[in-house]
């Protein structure tokens, strides 16, 4: 997971964090342009990315109450964001006793393009490969998997099963074959290298210098501290840093199936990166909302 924040990805993160009004009201185009400018995205890139999201059926053109041009989330987009919430903000520890979900598929040769689509989608949902044509994931991913396959009209090609792993190899050894654990660990380390220093800077700015809380950022390098003397600037910094960490983090719970601790190496970095994201979410999300709110209310 390289730290590359594309305009389209940032727009999705912005809607996920701040753009889901209960009444479904649209986000003004002018607000999208101003809010993305804070992250260095120019207006033509915003408009181009919005157009692509519109073509994919995720954004719908609409007028605000004051008549300004804007875009609202489609029903499919809301479902995707709701599914994402359950992964992005999950804080429950998985249990081995919950079991597994298996996806077995068969696609006719005449429709082999759907075979690639199935493999790609299952991989993006966090499935590992137990055997050719047999994909496996923690059982808690069943509902999301079923919804995704039905939404993509791939369910006729797939059978889903739920059960336990009974052998013959030890389960901890098997998961090391089913998933590329070193690659996933590398994604967590990349996330920590960028965002752990941000957490340290915010804690220092808000609470003053002192020992790092919970040992989360004790060895992290220092980055420039956010502004604390001007509330408006502090809210802008919080918005910028929160959107960047969210945009980075929201991919990780899909690359990482979040396996039970007893199946992972002792030095697994996934728990630490989850703690860093949770801490930044707690510190920054609502502070960032103070910056975003006036833009969303403009007509």
């Amino acid at each position: 997971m390289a730290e590359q924040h594309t305009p389209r990805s940032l727009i999705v993160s912005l809607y996920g964090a701040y753009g889901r009004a209960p009444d479904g009201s649209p986000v003004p185009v002018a607000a999208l342009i101003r809010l993305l400018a804070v992250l260095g995205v120019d207006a033509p890139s915003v408009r181009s990315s919005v157009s692509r999201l519109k073509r994919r059926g995720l954004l719908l053109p609409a007028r605000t109450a004051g008549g300004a041009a804007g875009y609202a989330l489609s029903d499919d987009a809301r479902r995707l964001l709701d599914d994402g919430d359950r992964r992005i903000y999950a804080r429950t520890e998985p249990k081995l006793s919950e079991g597994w979900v298996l996806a077995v598929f068969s696609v006719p040769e005449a429709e082999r393009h759907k075979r690639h689509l199935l493999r790609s989608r299952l991989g993006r949902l966090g499935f590992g490969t137990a055997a050719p044509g047999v994909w496996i994931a923690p059982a808690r991913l069943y509902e999301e998997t079923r919804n995704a396959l039905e939404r993509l009209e791939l369910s006729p090609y797939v059978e889903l099963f739920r059960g336990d792993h009974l052998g013959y190899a030890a389960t901890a050894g098997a998961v090391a074959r089913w998933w590329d654990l070193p690659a996933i660990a590398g994604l967590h380390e990349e996330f920590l290298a960028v965002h752990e220093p941000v957490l340290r800077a915010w804690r220092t700015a808000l609470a003053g210098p002192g020992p790092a809380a919970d040992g989360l950022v004790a060895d992290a390098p220092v980055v420039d501290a956010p502004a604390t003397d001007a509330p408006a600037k502090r809210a802008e910094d919080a918005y910028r840093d929160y959107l960047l960490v969210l945009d980075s983090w929201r991919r990780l719970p899909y690359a990482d199936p979040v396996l039970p601790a007893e199946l992972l190496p002792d030095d697994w970095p996934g728990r630490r990166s989850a703690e860093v994201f949770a801490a930044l979410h707690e510190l920054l999300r609502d502070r960032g909302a103070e910056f975003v709110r006036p833009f969303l209310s403009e007509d």
Side-chain angles (χ1 to χ4, degrees):
M1 180 191 66
E3 282 289 329
Q4 296 177 349
H5 302 279
T6 67
R8 181 166 51 176
S9 180
L10 288 169
I11 290 170
V12 172
S13 294
L14 175 58
Y15 271 92
Y18 301 115
R20 281 183 278 181
D23 62 357
S25 57
V27 176
V29 173
L32 288 173
I33 290 172
R34 292 177 186 175
L35 289 169
L36 271 295
V38 174
L39 295 111
V41 181
D42 59 29
S45 297
V46 173
R47 294 185 185 278
S48 174
S49 298
V50 165
S51 294
R52 286 195 292 271
L53 291 167
K54 177 186 172 184
R55 287 196 297 271
R56 289 180 57 192
L58 298 177
L59 293 181
L60 303 174
R63 293 282 172 179
T64 68
Y71 284 90
L73 291 165
S74 67
D75 290 342
D76 278 350
R78 283 185 172 272
R79 280 192 290 269
L80 285 169
L81 291 175
D82 289 345
D83 283 345
D85 285 351
R86 286 188 279 275
R87 292 213 194 195
I88 293 167
Y89 303 108
R91 296 294 292 156
T92 56
E93 289 290 332
K95 297 180 176 60
L96 187 56
S97 60
E98 294 170 356
W100 307 90
V101 59
L102 292 174
V104 181
F105 64 83
S106 178
V107 179
E109 185 61 25
E111 298 179 276
R112 58 182 177 271
H113 65 284
K114 293 186 177 179
R115 193 178 305 147
H116 171 74
L117 181 58
L118 264 169
R119 291 189 185 117
S120 173
R121 178 57 57 176
L122 290 171
R124 288 171 61 185
L125 285 167
F127 277 71
T129 308
V134 180
W135 294 68
I136 188 167
R140 70 177 184 283
L141 302 184
Y142 163 72
E143 289 292 346
E144 184 181 351
T145 300
R146 186 182 188 94
N147 291 341
L149 294 176
E150 291 174 358
R151 185 167 55 244
L152 295 170
E153 300 181 348
L154 295 172
S155 54
Y157 307 97
V158 183
E159 298 291 343
L160 297 175
F161 302 87
R162 188 182 305 215
D164 300 319
H165 178 245
L166 302 177
Y168 288 95
T171 305
V175 299
R177 297 196 308 273
W178 300 340
W179 285 276
D180 187 347
L181 295 183
I184 296 171
L187 299 180
H188 285 292
E189 295 290 0
E190 289 178 17
F191 176 87
L192 288 165
V194 173
H195 297 288
E196 212 170 19
V198 176
L199 178 57
R200 164 176 281 187
W202 273 98
R203 284 181 166 164
T204 299
L206 293 171
D214 301 324
L216 285 178
V217 291
D219 299 320
V222 175
V223 298
D224 291 340
T228 58
D229 53 345
K233 178 60 176 172
R234 182 167 66 245
E236 179 181 338
D237 288 343
Y239 157 74
R240 183 197 63 239
D241 288 348
Y242 182 65
L243 208 66
L244 291 174
V245 71
L246 176 63
D247 197 58
S248 296
W249 173 257
R250 68 182 180 85
R251 298 168 177 79
L252 259 173
Y254 289 91
D256 182 352
V258 190
L259 300 171
E262 59 264 44
L263 301 181
L264 295 168
D266 292 338
D267 59 350
W268 184 250
R271 179 178 303 208
R272 187 159 55 102
S273 65
E275 290 171 343
V276 167
F277 173 73
L280 283 167
H281 173 74
E282 182 70 21
L283 283 173
L284 302 182
R285 196 274 173 192
D286 290 347
R287 286 184 171 89
E290 296 174 8
F291 176 74
V292 173
R293 195 174 297 115
F295 294 100
L296 299 186
S297 62
E298 288 181 358
D299 292 327

